[in-house]
């Protein structure tokens, strides 16, 4: 055990679902000089048989445990640097203010579409986040990763990141911590949809993780869940939004069990009615 690891950390405010959860061990990466500690944590965790998980702002996570028997490393590396028409940002920077900054500098910038996109740069790269047809893969040039097994830092180019719909290579490399990402800033859009008006009219606020399920090819998970009559359906403190059926909202101090039960019901009903197997977009983090 290391003195810099916090123990029994309350995670309530570290996921946008705000369900009660505790991490047995927790580390917040804030300084560059602390990066080598990740290598030490990884080695120690493997010796102890403990999983290590990286966290951004927890807007795409369900903490599906009371106590996580492992280490959660929250990446809060924050800095922004402009050079040669590109912008490079620490993985802990929030994507939304960065997008605002880029769109102030570049007229009609595609980054304007991301101004209301929650989460960190690290989370956006890991999940190829995006909206209005503009995904992380369209703007990213490279990411810097720290390989916690070897203790080495290196650049990973966009091709190697293996992006597809809400997917990147990070899903298969749990020992890689994203440290920063570099984006081109010259992408423009003539679409005048105001992302704020669009979101506020079609998506609920409150404690949610955004879209809970991935959209099946050629369809929308929200439409399917709506069609099986689950809009407004509640389990305990969590309900399926009346506004958007792919949004689960924790509006009455719900638990992760409420979320998972609601998930199972939605999957079952959609399977029975349409023979379609919904897949989670949010990461369900469980004890193994
Ligand atoms: C109201 C609402 C609306 C949303 N709308 C959208 C939308 O329109 N489009 C969209 O794509 N998403 C949307 N989301 C989901 C969410 O915003 C994105 O998935 C976001 O990119 C997650 O970022 P995060 O920092 O919160 O990641 P987290 O939830 O903390 O983590 C997500 C995944 O990334 C990994 N990860 C995070 N940081 C690192 C790192 N530094 N190194 C390695 N792995 C890392 C985690 O291990 C985890 O697997 C929405 C969420 C909410 C709450």
């Amino acid at each position: 055990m290391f003195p810099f690891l916090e123990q029994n950390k309350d995670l309530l405010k570290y996921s946008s679902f705000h369900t009660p959860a505790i991490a047995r061990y927790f580390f917040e990466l804030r300084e560059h000089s602390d990066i080598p500690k990740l290598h030490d944590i990884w080695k120690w965790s493997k010796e102890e048989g403990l999983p290590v998980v990286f966290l951004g702002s927890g807007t795409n996570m369900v903490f599906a445990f009371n106590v996580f028997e492992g280490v959660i490393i929250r990446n809060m590396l924050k800095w922004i640097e402009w050079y040669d028409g590109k912008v490079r940002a620490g993985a802990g920077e929030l994507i939304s203010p960065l997008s605002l900054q880029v769109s102030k500098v570049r007229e009609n910038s595609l980054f304007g579409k991301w101004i209301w996109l929650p989460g960190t740069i690290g989370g956006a790269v890991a999940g190829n986040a995006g909206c209005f047809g503009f995904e992380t893969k369209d703007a990213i040039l490279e990411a810097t990763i720290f390989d916690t097994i070897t203790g080495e830092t290196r650049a990973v180019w966009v091709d190697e990141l293996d992006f597809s719909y809400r997917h990147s290579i990070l899903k298969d490399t749990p020992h890689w911590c994203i440290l920063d990402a570099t984006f081109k800033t010259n992408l423009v859009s003539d679409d005048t949809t105001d992302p704020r008006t669009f979101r506020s009219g079609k998506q609920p606020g409150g404690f949610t993780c955004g879209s809970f399920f991935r959209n099946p090819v050629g369809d929308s998970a929200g439409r399917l869940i709506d069609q099986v009559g689950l809009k407004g359906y509640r389990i305990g403190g969590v309900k399926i939004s009346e506004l958007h059926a792919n949004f689960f909202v924790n509006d009455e101090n719900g638990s992760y069990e409420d979320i998972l039960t609601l998930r199972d019901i939605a999957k079952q009903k959609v399977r029975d009615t349409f023979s379609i197997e919904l897949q989670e977009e949010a990461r369900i983090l469980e004890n193994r």
Side-chain angles (χ1 to χ4, degrees), residues 272-283:
D272 291 348
T273 312
F274 298 107
S275 302
I276 291 174
E277 192 61 39
L278 290 176
Q279 307 285 341
E280 291 86 346
E281 177 174 321
R283 177 169 181 186

Side-chain angles (χ1 to χ4, degrees), residues 29-264:
L29 178 62
R30 289 186 170 275
E31 307 291 337
H32 257 89
S33 54
D34 282 337
I35 292 170
K37 289 182 177 147
L38 304 191
H39 182 46
D40 301 331
I41 293 173
W42 188 273
K43 268 197 316 198
W44 172 77
S45 305
K46 293 306 120 184
E47 283 160 20
E48 298 291 319
L50 299 171
V52 178
V53 171
F54 298 108
L55 179 69
S57 50
T59 60
N60 204 28
M61 282 263 199
V62 178
F63 291 148
F65 47 79
N66 293 316
V67 180
F68 183 65
E69 296 298 346
V71 188
I72 293 201
I73 299 177
R74 186 163 183 253
N75 191 320
M76 288 287 107
L77 287 177
K78 287 180 190 260
W79 48 271
I80 295 177
E81 171 183 281
W82 285 79
Y83 66 99
D84 299 340
K86 301 168 199 159
V87 65
R88 188 166 170 227
E93 284 288 348
L94 293 173
I95 194 107
S96 166
L98 176 74
S99 302
L100 183 63
Q101 213 182 97
V102 177
S103 48
K104 275 185 181 159
V105 174
R106 308 270 176 203
E107 211 175 323
N108 300 326
S109 170
L110 254 177
F111 277 84
K113 304 289 170 211
W114 285 354
I115 288 173
W116 299 96
L117 183 61
T120 60
I121 298 291
V125 175
N128 187 25
C131 48
F132 305 105
F134 177 40
E135 295 180 311
T136 301
K137 70 170 173 49
D138 302 320
I140 192 169
L141 294 166
E142 64 174 289
T144 309
I145 62 104
F146 181 76
D147 185 327
T148 51
I149 295 178
T150 63
E152 285 166 1
T153 300
R154 73 174 178 95
V156 182
W157 300 97
V158 59
D159 291 346
E160 200 188 335
L161 285 164
D162 190 27
F163 287 119
S164 56
Y165 171 51
R166 300 293 176 264
H167 174 274
S168 78
I169 193 172
L170 272 297
K171 301 261 155 91
D172 307 316
T173 54
H175 54 291
W176 283 9
C177 179
I178 302 160
L179 300 179
D180 62 55
T182 304
F183 298 95
K184 50 190 165 191
T185 61
N186 58 353
L187 300 167
V188 291
S189 162
D190 51 15
D191 175 6
T192 54
T193 313
D194 176 354
R196 184 181 191 182
T197 315
F198 179 88
R199 279 188 190 267
S200 60
K202 301 213 163 146
Q203 299 178 354
F207 298 147
T208 176
C209 73
S211 294
F212 194 87
F213 296 107
R214 300 157 64 92
N215 286 324
V217 178
D219 211 328
S220 110
R223 187 194 78 81
L224 297 169
I225 299 168
D226 185 8
Q227 289 291 300
V228 299
L230 286 177
K231 260 191 178 170
Y233 190 82
R234 170 181 296 282
I235 295 288
V238 183
K239 71 170 179 181
I240 294 182
S241 163
E242 288 93 352
L243 203 55
H244 192 315
N246 199 19
F247 276 56
F248 293 10
V249 182
N250 175 16
D251 60 347
E252 291 183 13
N253 299 318
S255 64
Y256 80 85
E257 288 100 333
D258 296 339
I259 297 170
L260 298 189
T261 307
L262 212 47
R263 169 199 68 175
D264 293 343

